[in-house]
Amino acid sequence: MAEFMTENEGGTGPAADEARVPTVIADQLHIVYRVYGTGAGKGSATAALGRIVRRKPATNVREVHAVKGVSFTAYKGESIGLIGSNGSGKSTLLQAIAGLLPAERGKVYTHGQPSLLGVNAALMNDLTGEKNVILGGLAMGMSREEVRERYDGIVDFSGINEKGDFISLPMRTYSSGMAARLRFSIAAAKDHDVLLIDEALATGDRRFQKRSEARIRELREEAGTVFLVSHNNNSIRDTCDRVLWLEKGVLRMDGPTEDVLAAYEDFTQG
């Protein structure tokens, strides 16, 4: 679980360089998943029910060590890309920073409230886009007045009404790209201490991606720190000034965007 720093831990007084105020510290962080299997020849539901009735523990427990001793410090005003092969621990690390996954060992410290935006983040499929904008804004801590003030901007930014009045239709009628654009637009309407974005820029056309990248730069300048998981190296280049490269749960490289991407591209092409 993420731990919160006190206000005076971010600097050394009025003369401190604001650009170097820590917002996220990972200290030798380990995240371990436990996958519970079933008995041989038994379906998962039947096996689970049998264990409950007999009060027996699960068998065939498999541990997945998803993040292995990762340490870094992120600072206010940074936009940090997370790259790596599939299954390298990028999304797991974001969830740990957001406080959604407990640490097996080590610590995560955050200054302010982290907000996790994933393309698969759940909105209410049976509600209209309009009601989801309201609920999403309230869930992020906006007041009703703030949601009303920002509503038109959220819808315009998402672009989902460009080919019809989709905002008044249930979310289940949206394409996956439309839903993802609306999620990003809701999250981007608020200034964040720490914004965690999981593959949001992989959706939509290039025009929407450009708008998203510009908004990320604004968030970085106006408020706190942005983390972006993406397999699109061009989005990372356009958006981030620093990159963390994870491979098999290990932080392989941490540095300026071009340096890390060059090493990663050599690795993937080799």
Side-chain angles (χ1 to χ4, degrees):
M1 190 68 68
E3 301 192 357
F4 290 85
M5 295 185 283
T6 60
E7 291 293 331
N8 62 1
E9 288 179 335
T12 57
D17 182 358
E18 187 179 47
R20 303 304 291 173
V21 173
T23 55
V24 177
I25 299 172
D27 181 17
Q28 287 297 310
L29 179 65
H30 292 259
I31 303 294
V32 176
Y33 286 109
R34 288 173 178 83
V35 181
Y36 295 87
T38 63
K42 298 182 179 180
S44 58
T46 302
L49 180 59
R51 288 194 298 272
I52 293 171
V53 171
R54 296 190 301 272
R55 296 184 180 181
K56 290 185 177 180
T59 58
N60 299 332
V61 178
R62 183 167 64 93
E63 291 191 346
V64 178
H65 201 161
V67 173
K68 304 173 182 177
V70 169
S71 296
F72 66 87
T73 301
Y75 297 92
K76 183 175 181 180
E78 284 190 313
S79 184
I80 301 173
L82 270 67
I83 63 172
S85 306
N86 289 333
S88 60
K90 304 182 297 294
S91 296
T92 299
L93 180 58
L94 285 195
Q95 292 180 63
I97 294 171
L100 301 177
L101 289 176
E104 183 77 8
R105 299 195 303 278
K107 297 286 186 180
V108 177
Y109 303 93
T110 61
H111 181 97
Q113 179 62 50
S115 301
L116 175 62
L117 169 68
V119 169
N120 295 321
L123 293 179
M124 305 293 287
N125 280 333
D126 289 332
L127 297 183
T128 65
E130 177 181 5
K131 290 184 178 178
N132 272 295
V133 169
I134 295 169
L135 290 176
L138 293 174
M140 287 195 307
M142 294 188 212
S143 67
R144 289 187 177 274
E145 182 61 31
E146 287 174 321
V147 175
R148 283 193 294 269
E149 289 174 355
R150 303 180 190 190
Y151 175 83
D152 289 339
I154 292 171
V155 176
D156 290 345
F157 189 94
S158 72
I160 65 171
N161 264 4
E162 291 176 354
K163 296 182 180 180
D165 186 23
F166 283 96
I167 197 67
S168 64
L169 297 178
M171 285 282 295
R172 65 174 179 271
T173 66
Y174 292 10
S175 68
S176 59
M178 290 169 62
R181 295 201 306 272
L182 186 60
R183 291 186 188 100
F184 179 85
S185 301
I186 294 169
K190 183 179 183 291
D191 292 338
H192 299 269
D193 298 313
V194 179
L195 179 60
L196 312 165
I197 305 172
D198 195 350
E199 286 289 3
L201 300 187
T203 63
D205 57 22
R206 187 56 185 162
R207 183 174 58 164
F208 180 76
Q209 291 176 24
K210 285 293 186 184
R211 289 204 302 269
S212 301
E213 291 162 4
R215 180 56 183 146
I216 288 174
R217 286 190 288 270
E218 290 175 2
L219 288 168
R220 184 181 69 190
E221 292 165 3
E222 293 171 2
T225 307
V226 177
F227 287 84
L228 172 64
V229 169
S230 180
H231 290 283
N232 185 333
N233 287 355
N234 288 331
S235 290
I236 296 287
R237 282 190 171 92
D238 292 342
T239 309
C240 303
D241 47 29
R242 175 182 172 189
V243 171
L244 306 179
W245 172 15
L246 291 175
E247 206 63 50
K248 296 182 179 179
V250 175
L251 182 58
R252 183 157 179 163
M253 191 172 180
D254 173 4
T257 297
E258 284 301 332
D259 293 349
V260 179
L261 285 180
Y264 178 65
E265 289 166 352
D266 285 344
F267 172 80
T268 57
Q269 294 167 9

